[in-house]
Amino acid sequence: MNVKKLFDPEPLGYAQMSLFILIELLLIFDKTFSKFHLFGPFYLYDFLLILLTLFSGIKIVKNRTKLLYWPILVLVGVSTLYLFYSYFILHSPVNYSVRQFAVIVYIATVYIIFLSFINAETLKFNIRFLILLGIAAFALQLAYHVYNFIFHDNFIGSLFNEFNYFSEMAFMALFLFEVYILVYISKWWKWLLIFLFLLLISTLGHQGSAIIVSSLILGLYFVLQVDLYKKYILLLAGIACIYGMFAFFPQYFLDHNSMWRYIYWKITLKDIFEHYYGILGHGFGVQFTTPEVLETMSKDINSPWFEVRPEEKYLTPMHNSFITIAYHIGFVFMLLIFIPLKNMFTYIFKRSSENSSKEKDFLTLSMFAVMGWASFHVILELPHSSALFWLIYFSTAYLFSNNKNRVI
């Protein structure tokens, strides 16, 4: 992609431009914007997102848009039934129910906004925007480090031990910069940039999960470049590398936070499959923590988090957005998320010179990057990170859909 072309002043639709602006504001102002209280239960970001969704819904009805993703419709429909079940049968606290149901609201709102403007031409703008967002995130992070170096004491000592990222959205968007380098830059200094990027990632305070996601992107890039036989070899090598990282560098991957997540995931998945058969969910407005979670965390890692903050039993999910959704509505229904991406998964193994493109490579790697990040953090549940995930998700699903004018 010609870098100059990224800055062409071509007109965008109001819905698409508004979504871009909301994401940019989250990139720059982070929680200051997403948590800016307006009135009652409304916050500035959520209020603007709802207004944009209503505007987009009217446009969809007016244009009689035919493109629909049936798995997303089913997921939102089932989740809504669980919300009613939670309110009328479980009598869950309304404030916690609304807070937990936000993970579904963010899917539905971006879905409606996306349908209101998407076509082959606007998809190009989405990809261009994602690239620019990655570049901006990289520039902002470097500027943030320079600022801290000048004005903060003990900057060097804090690099690998404290959170040093500009914003939640910027951290997530940094992976888009890595993907951009891999896909669109072919010069010799490409790999020097990748090395510097990995060095930068290691200084942001999320070393373990960030390095894993960055390595996933890099490994998948090589998988895309080779034939099927070599793909399997690279996949096996990747598994061996992951094992080696955990075995030889446990300080990065098996610290207190990592063990906290591991225990939470393990017991939650056990609960989902043993007590709810992987099909049913707990609903909304319920405690995330089972008695087994509380007991194990207290005994094994001496974590008092839920004991000293009882409300966090309702507010702190599993730090894996997919497990969180499965906890609410069942593991089977959570898997609906991956159905619109089925052609993307096929592309990884059947990519050839005939059906490949930089756009497909970029969105495939970007999708895996944000899925990897959402597997280690609270991403889809929160306003300051979910919109970017779903923009990448729906753009990827649209690009890989066989027929872009029907229910898929």
Side-chain angles (χ1 to χ4, degrees), residues 169-238:
M169 179 71 76
F171 201 141
M172 196 170 168
L174 273 175
F175 298 117
L176 300 180
F177 181 72
E178 180 184 8
V179 175
Y180 167 68
I181 295 172
L182 290 170
V183 174
Y184 288 104
I185 294 181
S186 56
K187 305 294 184 181
W188 65 267
W189 40 268
K190 168 181 183 173
W191 299 109
L192 176 60
L193 274 178
I194 290 294
F195 172 77
L196 294 176
F197 174 83
L198 293 175
L199 182 62
L200 175 69
I201 281 290
S202 70
T203 68
L204 304 186
H206 280 292
Q207 298 101 318
S209 54
I211 291 173
I212 290 174
V213 174
S214 298
S215 301
L216 172 68
I217 297 169
L218 190 59
L220 187 58
Y221 169 76
F222 287 117
V223 168
L224 288 175
Q225 309 305 312
V226 299
D227 57 41
L228 185 60
Y229 175 72
K230 293 178 181 178
K231 290 181 191 295
Y232 289 114
I233 296 177
L234 284 176
L235 287 173
L236 290 174

Side-chain angles (χ1 to χ4, degrees), residues 109-122:
T109 51
V110 178
Y111 172 59
I112 292 171
I113 297 167
F114 181 86
L115 290 185
S116 73
F117 68 75
I118 193 61
N119 56 49
E121 190 62 28
T122 55

Side-chain angles (χ1 to χ4, degrees), residues 130-179:
L130 293 173
I131 293 173
L132 287 172
L133 194 73
I135 295 173
F138 183 73
L140 286 170
Q141 186 58 48
L142 288 180
Y144 183 71
H145 271 341
V146 171
Y147 174 85
N148 285 336
F149 176 74
I150 295 174
F151 295 103
H152 288 185
D153 296 332
N154 194 32
F155 168 71
I156 301 299
S158 68
L159 274 180
F160 300 96
N161 300 304
E162 298 178 8
F163 294 134
N164 292 298
Y165 52 87
F166 181 78
S167 68
E168 299 281 351
M169 179 71 76
F171 201 141
M172 196 170 168
L174 273 175
F175 298 117
L176 300 180
F177 181 72
E178 180 184 8
V179 175

Side-chain angles (χ1 to χ4, degrees), residues 357-377:
S357 69
K358 290 187 180 298
E359 290 78 12
K360 288 182 178 179
D361 289 351
F362 176 80
L363 285 180
T364 296
L365 294 174
S366 298
M367 191 69 250
F368 270 86
V370 294
M371 284 195 300
W373 196 238
S375 297
F376 291 98
H377 300 278

Side-chain angles (χ1 to χ4, degrees), residues 328-384:
H328 288 308
I329 65 173
F331 190 84
V332 170
F333 288 106
M334 181 277 293
L335 292 177
L336 289 170
I337 293 174
F338 300 100
I339 294 179
L341 301 176
K342 61 184 183 299
N343 290 336
M344 180 200 73
F345 292 111
T346 302
Y347 176 75
I348 294 172
F349 290 93
K350 295 186 177 181
R351 180 185 183 274
S352 64
S353 57
E354 289 78 19
N355 72 341
S356 67
S357 69
K358 290 187 180 298
E359 290 78 12
K360 288 182 178 179
D361 289 351
F362 176 80
L363 285 180
T364 296
L365 294 174
S366 298
M367 191 69 250
F368 270 86
V370 294
M371 284 195 300
W373 196 238
S375 297
F376 291 98
H377 300 278
V378 183
I379 297 299
L380 307 186
E381 302 92 325
L382 298 177
H384 41 264

